[in-house]
Amino acid sequence: MQTTNIFSFHGGIHPPENKAQSLTLPLGHPSLPKELILPLSQHIGQSSRPLVSQGEQVLKGQAVAINNGFLSSFLHAPTSGTITAIEERVIAHPSGLSDLCIVIEPDGNDCWTERKPLDDWRRISKTDVLSYLAEMGIVGMGGAGFPTQVKLQGAHKHPLTQFIINAAECEPYITADDMLIREKAEQLVLGIEVLQHLVEADQVIIGIEDNKPQAIAALNNALAQHNNTIQVAVVPTKYPSGGEKQLIQLLTGKEVPSGQHPADIGILCQNVGTCVAVHDSIYLGQPLITRFTTLTGDALKAPQNVEVLLGTPVKHLLDYAQATHKKISRLVMGGPMMGFTLNSIDAPIVKTSNCILAASKKELPAPAPEQACIRCGMCEQACPASLLPQQLLWFSKSQEFEKAEHYNLFDCIECGACSYVCPSSIPLVQYYRHTKSSIREAREAAVKSDLAKQRFEARKARQEAEAAEKEAKRLARQKTSTQKTEGKATETKKATPAAETKTAIPDESKKLKVDIALAKNKLKKLQKQLVEAQENEHVEEINHLQLQVTEQEKTLSLLEQQLEKMATTPAEKSTKAAPAPVNEELKKAKIDVALIGAKLKKAQKQLAESPDGNELKANVSELEKGLAQALSLLDRLTSSTAAQKADTPQNASSKPTVNDDLKKAKIDLAIAKAAVKKVEKALKKAEELKAPESGTLRQQLQEAQQRADSLEKALSNPQTQSPATEATKSNASTDESAAQKEQIKKQKIASAMARAAINKLKKRLAAEPDQAESIQQEIAAAEKRQQEADALLAQLTQSQDTM
């Protein structure tokens, strides 16, 4: 009897039901197969962990695998027998891949292990009952196999108002739940009472479609005998009314918000198969080892529902239903809308297998070739989740994952209604599945990247701390040594102020050199990060890094000035020129060019994607104009800086002193004399052995002697310039030539950039005649820059030719 109001949900379709053919025969019980294959992953979450080993004897109902984490489940032997293998076998999965399985060879005795029903479930704590259900391997039998104890624990986060039992079974061909209700209506009601006690729900509603009259009658009879408050709500037949969120909306009028679960709005759902499994475990002590499965399709001579042991190969069931293998075009596990194709008939039945569809080619013909979307909007009208399938298709094809998530891609239940109504035969669900998978992989990669970054930063911080600790210990030892030295000097003789200054200078100088090295290293890293940010067009990061680079350059400049002051005596300070100030305007101009260039590149990319945007065109035009002005300013500042450097005289202190020249000349003389002695020794040895290279050695000796004589003569005559002085002059000339070449190179680049800007502006002028006035101004400015660059280039080239 219906006692609740029925609402509606958006969309939905009415495909042919095809349910009658599997209900013509009574419930079947296939014989034991030759072997049972139990995959360790029959549920969502982590795979189970084996408790048995190869060759071990097991009894029916004995646990053969234990849960391996929070989202995991126990696994039990469906019959007694021997563990023949624990190995990779083909499993029932869309990928068609293999997974680790426990293989049992039945002994035919079907001997049970000791069963322990939970008769006092009303008196013991709810936590103990949930633990018992977990040990019995109970999972959701209508969807992804979510462990039942986890779902029940989550129900207590919010007070429950409604507890909904899903008996809709809306997908075509599948009648397993219909047959289950007919055969085990009383066990279903008792199982619901156990779950109602655990979740403490105010109202319990069984939602069932109106195309199951016999199941509805069996339910009403069982509820009348138990005299409880469970209600039966008969809903209209429409696909996918059996979806969790759609059934909630049908029975309560409430819509589960995007990204949330039914428990968040005080509602919990369970499948009728799960309720019967709860009854069998509580009242009979029987773990989840069997399930009702529909065998249907035109390729079967005896389509029917069967109560089958978990692990039974699909091939065994096809033989039981008298399948014509030549007639099978597609073998589907699940229904035609949400099921998946099996690649092997050796795949086993698992806890979530509710149907095996052996379809002929006429029954499930090959899909028509995909055609272009005609934007008819039928997919949007059919979507039960109120999504925009057409938009999601475009985002999936263009791999715009962020936009797909923004349009609630993960609210898609993959029911296939959109693909069913699409006149262009576009496999929309396949696109959505692929995009979901890509997003999950990207999230996992991001998590791994963050963890790697954290480990790297932790390692770097540890190394820096160790280096700082070593430096502190070194400075402490140095300080102690200095104090001892100063104490001894005080006892013997009072040092003069000048001597004290000389003693303190080396310590401070070393510390400053260490600080300068660290500052240079940090500056180099910041500059590298700035270049990467500019390449990736991260404008905010560019601004932040540029500020850090500027501050670090200032810090380094101050440290170098301190070191220079410390190393310079008062007499030298009077003759030494002050360091040239940093040209802040030039630095700012370079930053402006980099920022405007990055913004222009990003705007041009957006304009290429949307060529009709007037705002984007105006933005690109303004940015190009700004870039031209910034480049012009940079050229002027660069030329001005180069001219200042050319006019600045060489620092007198950089010239080598007479003492330095004399010292170097003495070293060169000593090296030359050593070379003479070495050649003499080699010549003497060659003459003793009458070696043929004696003539060559005599010539080398003569040349070495002449070099030594010339160096000795230059050293004895103080008026003659030393070789070191001549080398210094030569190096100065080389540096001046290199600077001149660098300036020529810069002007060539500036001229080329100006020419490229002129060509680009002329193309714009042809494409945008309405902007002719502003573009002509920009062309004039670019031509002026080119003329200035060419004039300065000619001047520099002429100057280099006269050198």
Side-chain angles (χ1 to χ4, degrees):
M1 179 178 178
Q2 180 172 330
T3 58
T4 59
N5 295 327
I6 303 300
F7 301 87
S8 182
F9 62 87
H10 179 273
I13 56 176
H14 295 275
E17 294 181 17
N18 293 317
K19 292 178 180 283
Q21 53 263 46
S22 58
L23 293 173
T24 55
L25 295 176
L27 181 67
H29 298 276
S31 61
L32 279 173
K34 294 182 180 179
E35 63 178 10
L36 296 171
I37 305 167
L38 299 175
L40 294 178
S41 179
Q42 298 192 24
H43 49 271
I44 195 170
Q46 300 92 336
S47 300
S48 304
R49 181 164 48 88
L51 290 174
V52 294
S53 56
Q54 186 174 352
E56 186 175 340
Q57 297 287 329
V58 293
L59 298 175
K60 185 175 183 177
Q62 177 182 336
V64 294
I66 191 172
N67 58 356
N68 192 27
F70 178 68
L71 279 179
S72 189
S73 178
F74 277 72
L75 191 60
H76 301 79
T79 187
S80 58
T82 306
I83 306 296
T84 58
I86 301 177
E87 62 187 12
E88 297 276 338
R89 289 288 186 97
V90 175
I91 62 171
H93 193 270
S95 65
L97 299 176
S98 301
D99 199 5
L100 192 64
C101 301
I102 297 175
V103 183
I104 300 177
E105 182 181 350
D107 57 11
N109 297 325
D110 207 32
C111 296
W112 275 94
T113 186
E114 182 182 0
R115 287 178 280 183
K116 298 178 181 179
L118 201 64
D119 298 327
D120 56 347
W121 59 272
R122 294 183 183 273
R123 297 188 298 273
I124 64 176
S125 68
K126 295 180 176 60
T127 304
D128 291 340
V129 178
L130 292 176
S131 299
Y132 179 82
L133 293 178
E135 292 175 2
M136 289 293 171
I138 309 299
V139 301
M141 299 175 69
F146 201 87
T148 301
Q149 78 279 4
V150 178
K151 195 169 186 177
L152 297 177
Q153 287 171 357
H156 293 286
K157 293 181 179 179
H158 305 277
L160 284 186
T161 55
Q162 282 108 359
F163 180 37
I164 294 176
I165 307 301
N166 190 345
E169 196 171 44
C170 60
E171 186 156 0
Y173 286 94
I174 306 177
T175 57
D177 288 348
D178 188 355
M179 182 62 72
L180 178 69
I181 297 171
R182 297 184 192 185
E183 295 288 329
K184 297 188 176 183
E186 185 175 357
Q187 292 92 322
L188 171 60
V189 172
L190 292 175
I192 293 173
E193 290 179 350
V194 175
L195 293 176
Q196 183 181 6
H197 168 74
L198 293 175
V199 301
E200 301 175 357
D202 299 332
Q203 183 183 19
V204 181
I205 307 173
I206 301 175
I208 186 170
E209 284 190 336
D210 56 9
N211 59 356
K212 304 174 180 62
Q214 295 183 30
I216 294 170
L219 268 177
N220 288 328
N221 292 335
L223 291 173
Q225 293 176 7
H226 286 80
N227 192 23
N228 51 36
T229 60
I230 301 174
Q231 304 171 4
V232 177
V234 180
V235 300
T237 299
K238 182 170 71 169
Y239 180 82
S241 61
E244 186 177 55
K245 294 183 179 180
Q246 285 67 42
L247 186 60
I248 290 172
Q249 197 168 355
L250 278 172
L251 300 181
T252 67
K254 298 178 182 178
E255 189 171 355
V256 181
S258 176
Q260 295 188 19
H261 301 287
D264 297 326
I265 60 172
I267 300 175
L268 182 69
C269 289
Q270 286 290 356
N271 180 264
V272 290
T274 306
C275 298
V276 173
V278 169
H279 164 270
D280 292 344
S281 62
I282 295 291
Y283 288 94
L284 305 177
Q286 176 178 316
L288 181 54
I289 56 175
T290 64
R291 72 153 297 133
F292 277 45
T293 301
T294 301
L295 305 179
T296 186
D298 288 349
L300 302 182
K301 294 180 180 179
Q304 58 186 291
N305 286 283
V306 294
E307 186 175 12
V308 60
L309 295 177
L310 299 182
T312 302
V314 172
K315 181 178 183 294
H316 184 76
L317 296 179
L318 294 177
D319 293 339
Y320 176 79
Q322 304 175 26
T324 305
H325 290 276
K326 292 182 179 180
K327 198 175 180 181
I328 298 176
S329 173
R330 284 180 62 193
L331 187 63
V332 179
M333 179 168 282
M337 301 298 293
M338 299 183 69
F340 58 91
T341 302
L342 287 176
N343 296 319
S344 173
I345 59 176
D346 295 324
I349 296 294
V350 294
K351 295 179 180 181
T352 56
S353 302
N354 58 354
C355 179
I356 299 297
L357 174 58
S360 63
K361 189 173 183 179
K362 181 179 179 181
E363 192 173 19
L364 287 182
E370 178 182 348
Q371 300 178 17
C373 174
I374 62 174
R375 305 186 181 185
C376 61
M378 294 180 65
C379 55
E380 187 276 331
Q381 297 174 18
C383 180
S386 300
L387 301 178
L388 297 174
Q390 184 182 7
Q391 291 290 128
L392 293 174
L393 172 65
W394 293 338
F395 296 146
S396 299
K397 283 188 172 182
S398 59
Q399 297 186 350
E400 296 180 270
F401 298 147
E402 292 183 3
K403 290 183 180 180
E405 286 192 83
H406 180 69
Y407 276 73
N408 302 320
L409 171 66
F410 282 91
D411 285 349
C412 172
I413 61 174
E414 301 178 12
C415 63
C418 54
S419 301
Y420 182 82
V421 301
C422 180
S424 297
S425 302
I426 301 174
L428 295 165
V429 175
Q430 278 74 8
Y431 281 108
Y432 304 155
R433 285 174 179 166
H434 179 268
T435 303
K436 287 181 181 180
S437 176
S438 300
I439 291 173
R440 293 189 186 101
E441 290 176 1
R443 287 175 179 173
E444 292 175 1
V447 170
K448 292 179 181 179
S449 177
D450 291 341
L451 290 174
K453 184 178 180 181
Q454 291 175 7
R455 291 197 301 270
F456 171 76
E457 290 177 350
R459 177 176 176 271
K460 184 179 178 182
R462 185 181 69 251
Q463 290 176 340
E464 290 177 353
E466 291 174 355
E469 184 180 359
K470 289 180 181 179
E471 180 64 17
K473 289 180 180 179
R474 186 189 66 77
L475 291 175
R477 291 194 302 269
Q478 194 175 52
K479 186 176 180 181
T480 304
S481 176
T482 304
Q483 289 175 352
K484 289 180 180 180
T485 305
E486 290 177 354
K488 291 180 181 179
T490 303
E491 292 175 0
T492 55
K493 185 176 180 181
K494 202 168 185 179
T496 62
E500 291 177 358
T501 304
K502 289 181 180 179
T503 305
I505 284 175
D507 295 338
E508 294 296 329
S509 176
K510 287 181 180 179
K511 187 176 182 303
L512 277 174
K513 287 179 180 179
V514 172
D515 293 341
I516 287 172
L518 293 175
K520 285 182 178 179
N521 188 25
K522 186 175 181 181
L523 177 60
K524 189 181 295 184
K525 290 181 180 178
L526 288 171
Q527 289 172 341
K528 184 178 180 181
Q529 293 174 4
L530 178 59
V531 171
E532 292 177 354
Q534 290 174 346
E535 291 177 353
N536 296 326
E537 302 178 7
H538 297 162
V539 179
E540 295 181 0
E541 190 174 353
I542 289 172
N543 296 335
H544 179 65
L545 288 172
Q546 186 60 54
L547 289 174
Q548 289 185 336
V549 168
T550 304
E551 292 177 1
Q552 191 62 25
E553 286 176 345
K554 290 181 180 179
T555 303
L556 180 60
S557 177
L558 289 174
L559 290 172
E560 289 177 343
Q561 289 177 15
Q562 291 178 11
L563 180 63
E564 188 177 357
K565 290 178 181 178
M566 186 174 294
T568 307
T569 62
E572 292 171 335
K573 285 181 182 178
S574 60
T575 60
K576 204 165 191 179
V582 179
N583 193 336
E584 296 295 338
E585 293 183 2
L586 181 59
K587 287 184 179 180
K588 187 176 182 303
K590 291 180 179 178
I591 294 170
D592 291 342
V593 170
L595 289 177
I596 297 173
K599 291 179 180 178
L600 177 59
K601 188 176 181 181
K602 187 175 182 180
Q604 289 173 341
K605 183 178 180 182
Q606 293 175 349
L607 182 59
E609 294 175 354
S610 304
D612 297 333
N614 293 328
E615 294 182 1
L616 288 175
K617 289 181 180 178
N619 188 23
V620 170
S621 177
E622 291 177 3
L623 288 173
E624 288 178 343
K625 186 175 180 181
L627 180 60
Q629 293 174 355
L631 285 170
S632 177
L633 178 60
L634 179 61
D635 292 341
R636 290 199 300 271
L637 291 173
T638 304
S639 302
S640 176
T641 305
Q644 289 178 5
K645 289 182 178 179
D647 295 339
T648 304
Q650 293 291 331
N651 195 338
S653 62
S654 64
K655 295 180 181 179
T657 61
V658 176
N659 291 333
D660 292 338
D661 293 342
L662 186 61
K663 184 176 180 181
K664 189 171 186 313
K666 289 180 178 180
I667 293 171
D668 292 340
L669 179 59
I671 293 172
K673 288 183 176 181
V676 171
K677 290 181 179 179
K678 186 176 181 181
V679 176
E680 286 179 346
K681 188 175 180 181
L683 178 59
K684 185 178 180 181
K685 190 173 182 181
E687 288 177 346
E688 291 177 355
L689 298 174
K690 295 182 180 180
E693 61 268 15
S694 301
T696 305
L697 289 173
R698 288 193 192 94
Q699 186 177 355
Q700 291 179 1
L701 177 61
Q702 185 178 0
E703 291 174 355
Q705 189 63 50
Q706 288 177 357
R707 175 173 170 75
D709 293 342
S710 63
L711 287 171
E712 189 171 7
K713 183 178 180 182
L715 184 61
S716 62
N717 187 2
Q719 300 298 327
T720 306
Q721 284 186 334
S722 67
T725 305
E726 294 175 0
T728 304
K729 286 185 177 181
S730 176
N731 290 338
S733 176
T734 303
D735 293 341
E736 185 176 356
S737 177
Q740 192 82 354
K741 289 180 180 178
E742 184 66 23
Q743 288 298 321
I744 291 173
K745 183 179 179 181
K746 288 182 179 179
Q747 292 308 316
K748 286 182 179 179
I749 293 172
S751 179
M753 289 177 66
R755 282 197 299 273
I758 291 170
N759 294 333
K760 190 172 183 180
L761 288 168
K762 286 181 178 178
K763 290 181 181 178
R764 274 192 57 205
L765 181 60
E768 303 175 12
D770 54 335
Q771 303 287 335
E773 185 177 351
S774 61
I775 295 175
Q776 287 288 1
Q777 293 176 359
E778 294 178 22
I779 291 175
E783 288 176 344
K784 185 178 179 181
R785 289 200 310 274
Q786 182 186 0
Q787 291 172 2
E788 291 175 356
D790 289 342
L792 187 55
L793 177 62
Q795 182 182 352
L796 291 171
T797 306
Q798 185 178 1
S799 176
Q800 187 183 31
D801 293 340
T802 57
M803 288 179 62

Coordinates of all heavy atoms in Angstrom, one line a residue, residues 40 267 279 325 384 398 574 710 726:
L40 N 40.4 -10.8 -5.2 CA 40.6 -10.1 -3.9 C 40.0 -8.7 -3.9 O 39.9 -8.1 -2.9 CB 42.1 -10.1 -3.6 CG 42.7 -11.4 -3.3 CD1 44.2 -11.3 -3.0 CD2 42.0 -12.1 -2.1
I267 N 19.6 11.4 4.8 CA 19.0 10.3 4.1 C 20.0 9.2 3.9 O 21.2 9.5 3.6 CB 18.3 10.7 2.8 CG1 17.3 11.8 3.1 CG2 17.7 9.6 2.1 CD1 16.7 12.4 1.8
H279 N 20.3 -10.0 6.8 CA 19.5 -11.0 7.5 C 20.2 -12.3 7.6 O 20.3 -12.9 8.7 CB 18.2 -11.2 6.7 CG 17.4 -12.4 7.1 ND1 17.6 -13.6 6.5 CD2 16.5 -12.6 8.1 CE1 16.9 -14.6 7.1 NE2 16.2 -14.0 8.1
H325 N 26.7 -20.3 -28.3 CA 27.8 -19.5 -28.3 C 28.0 -18.8 -29.6 O 28.5 -17.6 -29.7 CB 29.1 -20.3 -27.9 CG 29.1 -20.7 -26.5 ND1 29.5 -19.9 -25.4 CD2 28.7 -21.8 -25.9 CE1 29.4 -20.5 -24.3 NE2 28.9 -21.7 -24.5
P384 N 19.3 13.0 -16.1 CA 18.6 13.0 -14.8 C 19.3 13.8 -13.7 O 18.7 14.1 -12.6 CB 18.6 11.5 -14.4 CG 19.8 11.0 -15.1 CD 19.9 11.7 -16.3
S398 N 38.3 19.1 -25.7 CA 39.4 20.1 -25.7 C 40.3 20.0 -24.4 O 41.2 20.8 -24.2 CB 38.8 21.5 -25.7 OG 37.9 21.7 -24.6
S574 N 91.4 57.9 -0.1 CA 91.4 59.3 -0.7 C 91.6 59.3 -2.2 O 91.2 60.2 -2.9 CB 92.5 60.1 0.0 OG 93.8 59.5 -0.3
S710 N 116.7 38.2 -21.4 CA 115.9 39.4 -21.6 C 115.2 39.8 -20.3 O 115.0 41.0 -20.0 CB 115.0 39.1 -22.7 OG 114.1 38.1 -22.4
E726 N 103.1 45.4 -19.7 CA 102.6 45.2 -21.1 C 101.4 44.3 -21.2 O 100.5 44.6 -22.0 CB 103.8 44.6 -22.0 CG 105.0 45.6 -22.1 CD 106.2 44.9 -22.8 OE1 106.0 43.7 -23.2 OE2 107.2 45.5 -22.9

